[in-house]
Amino acid sequence: MTVTTAVPGPALLFTRTRVSGSDERVFVAKLAVLAVLTAAGVALALRPEPLLVALGVVLLAAMYTHAVELQHQCLHHSAFRNSLPHRLVGVPLGLPLLVVYSHYRLRHLQHHRFLGTPQDTEFFGFDTRKPITAPGLLRGLLDYPRLGSVGLDVVRSATGRWSYQYGAVSPTMRRKIVTEHLILGAVVLAAVGLALAGYGQYPLRLWVLPLLLAVPMHFLVELPEHLLCETDTTDVLRNTRSIRGSWLSTWYTNGNNLHIEHHAAMTVPINQLPGRHEETRLYATNVERSYADFYRLLWRELRRHRQQVAAGRQASSDRTASTV
């Protein structure tokens, strides 16, 4: 007689839950912390002392990056009990980093639906399915061309020529995306107007310089999500990475470090994800203790790739020499 033993699986990881009043209060508290730290960054950036200005710019860049992680929770409608506040809060959260809320939401939800397939449409440009090279990572780190493409989308929206290139989009969603691009355009024009009126130090210190620094900051936060994971499977336990991290990294990334937990049940409020990490450690393939561990892993992969390229060149050179 053969006895079959059931293999246990995750009991909580894929369970969906609704946003509670407590979850909503946690998110509002995060918004309050963001507001306080951003105000501190503004105060420092407007000081006359160069060192304090630099500290303020760095703090603002960090908060603009953090704001996009809070916006990410709004995309999934997992911050508030009602749907309306998500857009009202989500739109301004993305403005400093030139992230248009409804456009991000449309593409990001497709990313969740098609992760592990050729139809994956992650919003930010670095393609984790391509070979890992130092030039490729550097282009992702300094992805300033994205800012220019957003500017072009603002112009297309203003002239009625904006279109979605990754499939069909409903008229309602298109109106939302166009409207939000126009809002961003109005903010940019206001900043340009300040500069032309002789107050250029304000947009320069409070937006332009922090934005230039926030682009690589945001890249470093997003990079571990799927890099060096299996790219040809839809199994979230194999195509996504979680990083246990510290309370600080969990707060700063707004739980983005617990990315397997998020992909397993994307509408679960972020503050509930740490309680699911133990199951992730038991069943998932790509789990790191810290961001430092991930970047050490990335460094080893870069070295391995360079060695493979060098060996290939040497082999090619040897073959050429042998035929001469």
Side-chain angles (χ1 to χ4, degrees):
M1 179 179 178
T2 302
V3 178
T4 301
T5 303
V7 178
L12 179 62
L13 190 59
F14 294 90
T15 302
R16 299 181 182 182
T17 62
R18 292 184 177 182
V19 180
S20 68
S22 176
D23 298 324
E24 189 172 82
R25 288 190 291 274
V26 168
F27 188 78
V28 170
K30 291 178 182 179
L31 292 176
V33 172
L34 171 68
V36 169
L37 292 176
T38 301
V42 170
L44 289 170
L46 294 180
R47 295 286 298 175
E49 300 89 348
L51 179 58
L52 294 183
V53 171
L55 289 174
V57 167
V58 171
L59 181 55
L60 286 174
M63 289 304 101
Y64 295 166
T65 302
H66 178 57
V68 171
E69 299 308 317
L70 294 175
Q71 183 193 49
H72 168 251
Q73 186 169 351
C74 290
L75 299 179
H76 290 284
H77 288 191
S78 62
F80 302 99
R81 285 171 287 182
N82 299 316
S83 61
L84 179 61
H86 290 100
R87 187 181 181 217
L88 294 177
V89 173
V91 169
L93 284 173
L95 289 177
L97 207 55
L98 275 62
V99 179
V100 175
Y101 172 81
S102 292
H103 192 199
Y104 185 13
R105 173 172 162 80
L106 179 62
R107 285 187 60 178
H108 186 69
L109 293 183
Q110 286 185 272
H111 162 66
H112 275 262
R113 187 179 307 121
F114 296 119
L115 178 63
T117 74
Q119 289 75 42
D120 186 4
T121 58
E122 177 57 295
F123 188 75
F124 296 97
F126 186 78
D127 191 346
T128 57
R129 295 166 293 190
K130 293 182 177 179
I132 300 171
T133 64
L137 289 171
L138 185 61
R139 284 193 297 271
L141 184 72
L142 305 177
D143 188 20
Y144 299 115
R146 183 190 73 82
L147 307 181
S149 68
V150 175
L152 289 176
D153 279 341
V154 169
V155 173
R156 294 186 185 105
S157 297
T159 56
R161 295 184 294 111
W162 184 88
S163 62
Y164 187 58
Q165 58 180 319
Y166 298 102
V169 57
S170 71
T172 299
M173 178 59 76
R174 186 183 186 280
R175 282 195 298 271
K176 289 180 179 180
I177 293 172
V178 167
T179 298
E180 291 165 25
H181 274 103
L182 295 178
I183 291 171
L184 175 59
V187 173
V188 171
L189 288 176
V192 172
L194 274 177
L196 294 177
Y199 300 98
Q201 65 170 327
Y202 294 104
L204 177 66
R205 296 188 187 189
L206 301 182
W207 194 5
V208 176
L209 294 178
L211 173 61
L212 295 177
L213 186 56
V215 168
M217 278 187 178
H218 185 259
F219 173 79
L220 294 174
V221 168
E222 298 271 322
L223 187 63
E225 296 175 352
H226 305 288
L227 192 68
L228 300 176
C229 300
E230 297 181 41
T231 60
D232 57 354
T233 176
T234 58
D235 183 357
V236 71
L237 298 175
R238 294 158 54 199
N239 64 19
T240 304
R241 169 177 289 96
S242 276
I243 298 174
R244 184 174 65 195
S246 63
W247 69 266
L248 181 61
S249 63
T250 301
W251 162 75
Y252 182 66
T253 65
N254 193 34
N256 198 53
N257 54 314
L258 304 176
H259 213 61
I260 294 172
E261 294 85 340
H262 170 61
H263 267 270
M266 66 179 181
T267 59
V268 172
I270 297 296
N271 55 286
Q272 294 187 25
L273 297 184
R276 303 176 177 217
H277 186 63
E278 187 59 34
E279 287 192 352
T280 300
R281 292 180 61 199
L282 289 173
Y283 297 105
T285 303
N286 305 290
V287 182
E288 317 297 338
R289 291 181 304 170
S290 67
Y291 278 87
D293 284 348
F294 166 76
Y295 280 104
R296 278 193 290 267
L297 178 67
L298 177 59
W299 175 248
R300 289 196 296 269
E301 179 62 23
L302 278 171
R303 291 183 60 187
R304 186 187 67 80
H305 183 267
R306 285 202 301 268
Q307 290 167 356
Q308 286 182 336
V309 170
R313 288 174 178 170
Q314 183 61 49
S316 176
S317 177
D318 292 344
R319 286 194 298 270
T320 300
S322 66
T323 59
V324 175

